[in-house]
């Protein structure tokens, strides 16, 4: 494939390497590529530009991909998938907290890694009162990908009007 047909050059010609290519548009280039002999140079260019732009990581988190997900619960016994990944993505769960609003009470969030059939409990988060939280255990680095997602189950005796679970994530691949 010559540079005039190379989608990397046609889509990003003249752009700054660090600021001109986002994780999303780099992913779209990867997703549209087929493994053929004609694409050999394209893949080599993608590797170079991916590493230079910080959109490809052989280790460590990818820049500008951190986010916080908030999920509201209105009572005990609710189970929700709060974080999942697209094909080819790996996200690290970097923190969790809880927030009470709309009254008093106590709640517990049980965080788990699930494949849709089996769930492994990895964290228990309990809190009472308004705007208080306490992480009661730490499971170490937690990752999700297209096969494993993060779920949260709410429980507690005197559940408040609403409790929110906050999860911070950083994309690592």
């Amino acid at each position: 494939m010559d540079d005039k047909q190379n989608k990397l050059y046609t889509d990003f010609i003249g752009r700054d390497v660090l600021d001109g290519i986002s994780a999303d548009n780099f992913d779209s280039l990867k997703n549209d590529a087929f493994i053929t002999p004609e694409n050999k140079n394209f893949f080599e260019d993608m590797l170079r530009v991916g590493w230079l732009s910080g959109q490809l990581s052989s280790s460590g988190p990818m820049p500008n991909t951190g986010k916080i997900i908030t999920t509201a619960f209105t009572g005990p016994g609710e189970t929700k998938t709060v974080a999942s990944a697209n094909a080819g993505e790996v996200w690290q769960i970097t923190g969790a907290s809880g927030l009470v609003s709309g009254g008093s009470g106590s709640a517990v969030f049980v965080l788990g890694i699930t494949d849709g059939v089996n769930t492994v409990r990895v964290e228990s988060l309990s809190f009472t009162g308004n705007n208080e939280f306490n992480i009661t255990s730490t499971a170490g680095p937690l990752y999700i990908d297209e096969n494993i997602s993060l779920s949260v189950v709410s429980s507690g005796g005197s559940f408040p009007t609403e409790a929110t679970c906050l999860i911070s994530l950083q994309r690592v691949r």
Side-chain angles (χ1 to χ4, degrees), residues 36 41 51 60 63 66 79 90 98 129 138 146-147 160:
T36 63
N41 290 336
W51 281 319
T79 301
V90 177
T138 303
E146 64 184 300
N147 300 311

Side-chain angles (χ1 to χ4, degrees), residues 51-109:
W51 281 319
L52 289 171
S53 66
Q55 301 310 321
L56 186 65
S57 173
S58 54
S59 68
M62 296 173 66
N64 303 315
T65 59
K67 62 182 177 178
I68 296 176
I69 297 172
T70 60
T71 306
F73 293 83
T74 57
E78 293 180 77
T79 301
K80 297 183 180 184
T81 298
V82 297
S84 57
N86 294 319
E89 295 179 347
V90 177
W91 291 81
Q92 181 177 1
I93 288 66
T94 57
S97 65
L99 179 67
V100 173
S101 60
S104 63
S106 64
V108 175
F109 290 139

Side-chain angles (χ1 to χ4, degrees), residues 67-69 82 92-98 111 123 125 133 135 137-138 140-142 150 165-170:
K67 62 182 177 178
I68 296 176
I69 297 172
V82 297
Q92 181 177 1
I93 288 66
T94 57
S97 65
L111 284 63
E123 190 85 40
L125 177 70
F133 64 88
I135 294 177
S137 67
T138 303
L142 300 174
L150 180 68
C165 182
L166 296 91
I167 306 290
S168 62
L169 301 105
Q170 182 77 40

Side-chain angles (χ1 to χ4, degrees), residues 4 26 40 46 77 102-104 108 117 123-125 149:
K4 290 181 181 156
F26 189 78
K40 180 180 182 291
M46 286 287 291
S104 63
V108 175
V117 176
E123 190 85 40
S124 178
L125 177 70
S149 59

